[in-house]
Amino acid sequence: MPVKEGGKKSLVGVIDDGTKTVRFVIYEAECSNELVSYQLDKTEVQPQEGWSEQDPLEIMHNIRICAENAIDQLTELGYSREDIVTLGITNQRETTIAWDMCTGQPLHPAIAWNDIRTDSTVDAILAKVPDRNKNYFKNICGLPISPYFSALKMRWLKDNVKAVRKASRDKRLLFGTVDSWIIWNLTGGPHGGIHITDVTNASRTLLMNLETLNWDPMLCRLFGVHRNTLPQIRSSSEVYGRVEDCSVLDGIRISGILGNQQSALVGQNCMSAGQAKNTYRSGCFLLYNTGTRKVQSTHGLITTVAYKLGPDAPAVYALEGSIAVAGGAMKFLRDNLHLIKDVVEDTEHIAGQVFSTGDVYFVPAFSGLYAPYWRKDARGIICGLTAFTTKNHIIRAALEAVCFQTRDILEAMNKDCGMPLAKLHVDGRMTSNDLLMQLQADLTGIPVLRAQSWDMSALGVGIVAGNSVGVWSCDKWKHHSASTDTFLPTTTDDDRDARYTKWKMAVQRSLGWATTKKSITMTEERYKLLASIPAALYIFGSFTMLVVSSILKNNR
Ligand SMILES: Nc1ncnc2c1ncn2[C@@H]1O[C@H](COP(=O)(O)OP(=O)(O)O)[C@@H](O)[C@H]1O
Ligand SMILES: O=P(O)(O)OC[C@H](O)CO
């Protein structure tokens, strides 16, 4: 079916918008190896401590550049742009954008998923909830009230950005996660762009009801987000429309959307209940497929939609353990502490020069701790330092932190599911680090199975998009067995449990560090106020000088 005339296969294009990078990948249908790809780094702006912003216009610009470059490579392989039969979109989840539907302009930079400016917004919402219970709505939407999720970011935008409030009053405001922003722009923007999202992205907002798979009126009211500003929720696999933006992608159908962690679940072929995968990128996300059952965690995990393969297909759910900082800690060692120059080579090489961390533990709770703790008051610590500690120990401790956080999630997942995971399927760019993989097996005590290609997120949505136009079969994919590299544990139970106990002590020390203070938000209004201070000082200063000189004159 997917083979075109002349023996050439149909091609599927994928836009993968990550936290740090944007990629455009092209696959031959039914073939899991990338044919070509092109990627660009993103500019991440941190205007204040704990804030993390991205430029929505840069995201669109980079997508088009990546697509052009990937398509250029096709010609060398004897393919052309016309061979791309459909597009899939996978994206960083929760990151939120507000824009004007008439001008198409963003009303504020995108607020990234790991931005914690909404700390005080969380407190304001919790004040309206019985017992200030952050898990009060978990049975409706699967999530605790945390700065991580989109509804808090939408509320903050409405409270703090005048342009957003004005657009809301004028009925021109649109909100969306990055998938919505991309699709709206690709399909015409102000000239008929479609405003949609898929169930996996919607399930990260705190606004979607997991049962009805629609926006929950009570939650929308609680967060003050009007239904008309939100996208329509669609399945993850159907033809939504065509690109109409005069770019190199013009005319191509769009037929798949998945949040990047759910997409990796499909790419790793964990499409049956009981299968799980862990993806190591800036953050780290362990998803366990629970089939059509919505399992409610009692141990700090969240319930999310894994995928819905068509408008009439049932939703498949997952339990998720989200870790905010994994690869991000390596970037911190490079950019903030300058302990390494290259995250890939140095972390493996330098950390490998010592046999242990020398009892040093590094809890990278830069923006609080997500699962299973959900403590926004936690902050990063490095503890156990002695006069013997070197940077090698600290770098190794940063790698181990990724593994210990994964063990935290595994412990919670095993308790919720009642059946311990016997092996861990892993993917993500960080998994190219052999030392990390071995440490992961040693600190969890189960075999770690590394996917042959690190990027399962792009692959997953490629399959799903191909499935909806009949060139790539999800059913066939379920029976595909991919080869992996296996890392086996080399430590004893006693050894790893003793180390894990020490990790838990370190986590305890990181909790409660960020004391509640009134958040000094640098809103638009404050920027203007600050900008007006020098002018006010100038006027006041000039006036004082005039008065003083006239007094002196009169006294002469
Ligand atoms: N081999 C490696 N060893 C250690 N850290 C790595 C390695 N490769 C990537 N990283 C870290 O993983 C993070 C995630 O990388 P990437 O997958 O490109 O980001 P994202 O998907 O979040 O945009 C980077 O911040 C980098 O610091
Ligand atoms: O871009 P990544 O890979 O860090 O993914 C971010 C997650 O989707 C956030 O939930």
Side-chain angles (χ1 to χ4, degrees):
M1 164 89 111
V3 179
K4 292 186 50 148
E5 277 171 44
K8 279 200 294 182
K9 287 186 175 175
S10 303
L11 303 183
V12 177
V14 170
I15 294 168
D16 178 356
D17 176 71
T19 313
K20 308 272 184 248
T21 48
V22 172
R23 282 166 41 84
F24 192 88
V25 186
I26 303 175
Y27 295 94
E28 284 180 328
E30 304 280 9
C31 177
S32 52
N33 297 328
E34 285 181 20
L35 186 63
V36 294
S37 67
Y38 193 86
Q39 89 172 43
L40 285 172
D41 284 343
K42 273 185 166 171
T43 321
E44 183 192 5
V45 179
Q46 295 179 317
Q48 284 191 57
E49 187 194 320
W51 291 33
S52 173
E53 297 180 345
Q54 297 169 20
D55 177 358
L57 297 176
E58 184 196 68
I59 293 176
M60 290 315 302
H61 179 71
N62 285 357
I63 286 172
R64 291 177 179 126
I65 304 271
C66 289
E68 275 167 25
N69 281 281
I71 288 170
D72 276 352
Q73 297 172 48
L74 277 186
T75 40
E76 289 159 29
L77 300 172
Y79 283 98
S80 72
R81 193 212 85 118
E82 279 57 48
D83 295 315
I84 304 177
V85 295
T86 198
L87 283 180
I89 291 160
T90 184
N91 56 290
Q92 51 173 326
R93 307 159 308 162
E94 301 95 16
T95 298
T96 302
I97 304 176
W99 69 96
D100 182 320
M101 66 164 80
C102 299
T103 64
Q105 288 303 304
L107 298 166
H108 190 269
I111 303 184
W113 57 275
N114 50 0
D115 180 300
I116 51 170
R117 75 184 64 192
T118 59
D119 230 24
S120 51
T121 316
V122 168
D123 292 334
I125 295 287
L126 282 176
K128 299 184 194 169
V129 172
D131 301 329
R132 302 180 62 86
N133 176 1
K134 62 183 170 218
N135 292 322
Y136 194 73
F137 300 110
K138 239 182 132 185
N139 59 346
I140 301 177
C141 61
L143 313 173
I145 298 171
S146 151
Y148 181 22
F149 303 110
S150 312
L152 276 309
K153 304 180 199 297
M154 293 176 190
R155 179 70 257 162
W156 185 94
L157 285 163
K158 285 188 81 174
D159 286 344
N160 294 283
V161 182
K162 214 158 131 193
V164 172
R165 280 200 300 278
K166 179 162 181 349
S168 174
R169 273 199 309 276
D170 297 347
K171 303 199 173 8
R172 295 155 67 121
L173 172 65
L174 294 182
F175 275 127
T177 40
V178 183
D179 55 315
S180 297
W181 167 248
I182 295 173
I183 293 176
W184 187 80
N185 276 283
L186 289 183
T187 56
H191 313 291
I194 52 174
H195 189 214
I196 59 167
T197 186
D198 88 308
V199 277
T200 66
N201 278 293
S203 73
R204 319 295 302 186
T205 56
L206 259 167
L207 298 175
M208 192 188 81
N209 184 310
L210 285 178
E211 189 62 47
T212 62
L213 301 180
N214 217 327
W215 303 118
D216 186 274
M218 185 271 295
L219 290 174
C220 288
R221 254 196 322 278
L222 177 77
F223 287 98
V225 177
H226 198 282
R227 169 70 192 82
N228 292 350
T229 59
L230 294 170
Q232 184 193 16
I233 305 177
R234 304 280 285 268
S235 79
S236 321
S237 180
E238 59 180 285
V239 178
Y240 313 102
R242 282 184 191 273
V243 178
E244 280 186 41
D245 71 343
C246 302
S247 76
V248 69
L249 299 173
D250 206 60
I252 305 178
R253 285 174 291 195
I254 305 173
S255 63
I257 315 173
L258 283 171
N260 58 10
Q261 304 307 323
Q262 286 88 336
S263 194
L265 191 74
V266 174
Q268 281 265 32
N269 198 2
C270 295
M271 296 182 78
S272 304
Q275 294 180 314
K277 68 86 211 179
N278 200 19
T279 303
Y280 301 69
R281 292 174 59 145
S282 295
C284 188
F285 304 87
L286 208 166
L287 269 74
Y288 180 101
N289 186 326
T290 61
T292 50
R293 243 162 38 92
K294 293 183 289 295
V295 176
Q296 283 295 345
S297 169
T298 46
H299 297 93
L301 305 179
I302 60 180
T303 309
T304 200
V305 180
Y307 46 83
K308 184 177 186 305
L309 298 178
D312 301 321
V316 170
Y317 297 89
L319 269 180
E320 175 177 318
S322 331
I323 297 167
V325 180
M330 309 305 139
K331 207 172 152 274
F332 170 82
L333 295 181
R334 184 192 63 194
D335 300 344
N336 298 39
L337 301 190
H338 305 289
L339 293 187
I340 52 174
K341 286 204 174 72
D342 185 293
V343 283
V344 178
E345 279 167 29
D346 293 351
T347 49
E348 184 152 7
H349 174 67
I350 301 178
Q353 289 175 5
V354 285
F355 294 108
S356 75
T357 64
D359 214 23
V360 170
Y361 289 79
F362 180 178
V363 184
F366 303 142
S367 49
L369 284 171
Y370 289 180
Y373 307 99
W374 298 107
R375 289 287 297 263
K376 64 185 175 64
D377 61 353
R379 285 298 177 269
I381 55 162
I382 300 175
C383 55
L385 299 176
T386 66
F388 167 78
T389 305
T390 65
K391 72 173 186 177
N392 305 15
H393 297 108
I394 295 175
I395 297 165
R396 195 176 173 104
L399 285 179
E400 284 197 356
V402 180
C403 308
F404 280 127
Q405 291 187 95
T406 297
R407 176 150 178 190
D408 281 338
I409 303 294
L410 278 174
E411 301 265 325
M413 214 159 254
N414 292 344
K415 286 183 201 141
D416 275 330
C417 301
M419 205 169 42
L421 267 188
K423 54 190 180 193
L424 186 64
H425 285 275
V426 302
D427 62 275
R429 207 187 291 270
M430 261 196 117
T431 59
S432 67
N433 190 320
D434 285 351
L435 176 62
L436 173 74
M437 295 293 93
Q438 189 55 51
L439 288 170
Q440 186 67 90
D442 288 345
L443 294 171
T444 51
I446 55 174
V448 171
L449 278 56
R450 175 170 66 189
Q452 288 288 305
S453 153
W454 62 267
D455 192 358
M456 292 289 129
S457 298
L459 177 61
V461 83
I463 295 169
V464 156
N467 186 63
S468 29
V469 298
V471 298
W472 205 330
S473 157
C474 279
D475 283 338
K476 253 203 213 157
W477 179 245
K478 277 186 198 166
H479 300 108
H480 168 91
S481 74
S483 54
T484 52
D485 303 324
T486 303
F487 294 81
L488 297 171
T490 59
T491 47
T492 64
D493 288 352
D494 284 351
D495 195 17
R496 79 177 68 94
D497 288 348
R499 303 249 10 244
Y500 186 55
T501 305
K502 230 30 201 306
W503 162 258
K504 300 284 273 186
M505 284 166 62
V507 168
Q508 284 307 315
R509 281 163 173 73
S510 77
L511 302 179
W513 192 262
T515 45
T516 316
K517 54 172 188 208
K518 278 257 166 288
S519 96
I520 307 162
T521 47
M522 190 58 74
T523 59
E524 226 182 338
E525 287 81 356
R526 279 180 205 273
Y527 276 127
K528 279 191 195 138
L529 183 68
L530 283 183
S532 63
I533 287 175
L537 280 178
Y538 175 77
I539 293 166
F540 180 74
S542 313
F543 178 73
T544 316
M545 273 165 60
L546 272 176
V547 172
V548 171
S549 69
S550 98
I551 293 172
L552 288 175
K553 224 164 146 188
N554 291 341
N555 285 349
R556 235 183 261 150

